[in-house]
Amino acid sequence: ELSMLALGTLWGNHLLACGWYFVGKHLDSDVDGRCHWTDPIEFESQAYQYACSFHWSLAQLTLGANDFNPCNSAERWYNILSLVAGLFFSCSLIAKLSGSMVGWMMECEEQRAMLEVVRRFLHQNNISAQMHIKVKQQIEERLKQAKQCLSKDPPGLQMLSPGVLMELREELFKDHLTTHPLMYVLSNIHEDIIEGVC
């Protein structure tokens, strides 16, 4: 999730940098001297021009410093809108990262507490060190595995009407039930058999 967030941030900065370069390169200036922010780097390589644009876009989203300032109304308005977007983005990013870190720390603490209870139980019952290690290793392996979400787990399913809940259970268990030869034959004879079982 954090990787996708980082990639999304870089892609957003890329688009913002392209817009900043377009505004400076192709829109007319309304001030004396017809200046644009791209004037100092006009004869530099494309790689350097892109790097300057990307640096500027990162500065807007992270509220950091940069070497290029707007020179006309179009560039200034683009800069203002970018700063507003950067303010909201920075707040959202910090909130997202904080929530993810707190959730991860709570999960780690819960697992540590559970392992501590198991360790205390094994110690109080004089379990051998070899069995102690074996139990600990298997618990740690099970914790790493993704827990399957059962139909009784999501609280939202309790709000479904009996009819919709029955249809849901039928879709959940139909393929599994029909693997049994008897249920397969009965389902072919009468389609309501599966529904009744579910």
Side-chain angles (χ1 to χ4, degrees):
E1 185 178 356
L2 293 178
S3 299
M4 293 300 296
L5 182 62
L7 290 175
T9 302
L10 292 176
W11 177 248
N13 275 283
H14 166 74
L15 297 178
L16 191 64
C18 292
W20 176 240
Y21 182 80
F22 177 83
V23 170
K25 193 72 174 178
H26 299 289
L27 295 188
D28 294 333
S29 178
D30 59 351
V31 298
D32 293 337
R34 301 295 179 182
C35 68
H36 298 85
W37 79 265
T38 54
D39 290 345
I41 59 172
E42 183 177 1
F43 300 105
E44 301 293 341
S45 65
Q46 290 185 347
Y48 182 74
Q49 291 180 3
Y50 176 77
C52 293
S53 299
F54 196 78
H55 181 196
W56 178 90
S57 67
L58 281 176
Q60 308 315 301
L61 293 185
T62 59
L63 305 181
N66 69 92
D67 300 333
F68 300 96
N69 296 313
C71 297
N72 53 61
S73 297
E75 295 176 2
R76 193 161 297 278
W77 277 112
Y78 190 85
N79 195 2
I80 291 172
L81 294 175
S82 300
L83 286 171
V84 173
L87 178 62
F88 284 103
F89 174 81
S90 299
C91 295
S92 301
L93 180 62
I94 292 173
K96 180 68 175 178
L97 292 176
S98 299
S100 298
M101 290 299 296
V102 170
W104 177 74
M105 291 174 64
M106 290 179 63
E107 183 179 355
C108 291
E109 178 62 24
E110 182 180 351
Q111 293 179 3
R112 188 201 63 78
M114 183 180 63
L115 288 172
E116 177 61 25
V117 171
V118 172
R119 187 197 65 78
R120 192 183 311 124
F121 168 79
L122 297 176
H123 178 72
Q124 291 176 353
N125 290 274
N126 298 320
I127 304 300
S128 65
Q130 184 177 1
M131 178 57 67
H132 189 136
I133 295 173
K134 187 175 182 179
V135 169
K136 181 180 178 183
Q137 287 178 345
Q138 188 168 93
I139 292 177
E140 290 177 346
E141 290 176 0
R142 296 291 174 87
L143 287 174
K144 294 178 182 178
Q145 296 175 359
K147 183 181 178 182
Q148 183 178 5
C149 187
L150 304 177
S151 60
K152 64 180 180 180
D153 293 336
L157 296 183
Q158 300 174 2
M159 302 174 64
L160 297 177
S161 64
V164 175
L165 189 58
M166 183 176 296
E167 292 180 13
L168 175 63
R169 287 176 177 172
E170 183 180 355
E171 285 201 21
L172 282 172
F173 304 118
K174 182 177 180 180
D175 293 339
H176 178 70
L177 289 174
T178 52
T179 56
H180 193 281
L182 176 61
M183 295 303 299
Y184 179 76
V185 173
L186 291 176
S187 65
N188 288 331
I189 296 174
H190 204 291
E191 295 181 354
D192 294 340
I193 292 292
I194 298 295
E195 182 178 346
V197 173
C198 294

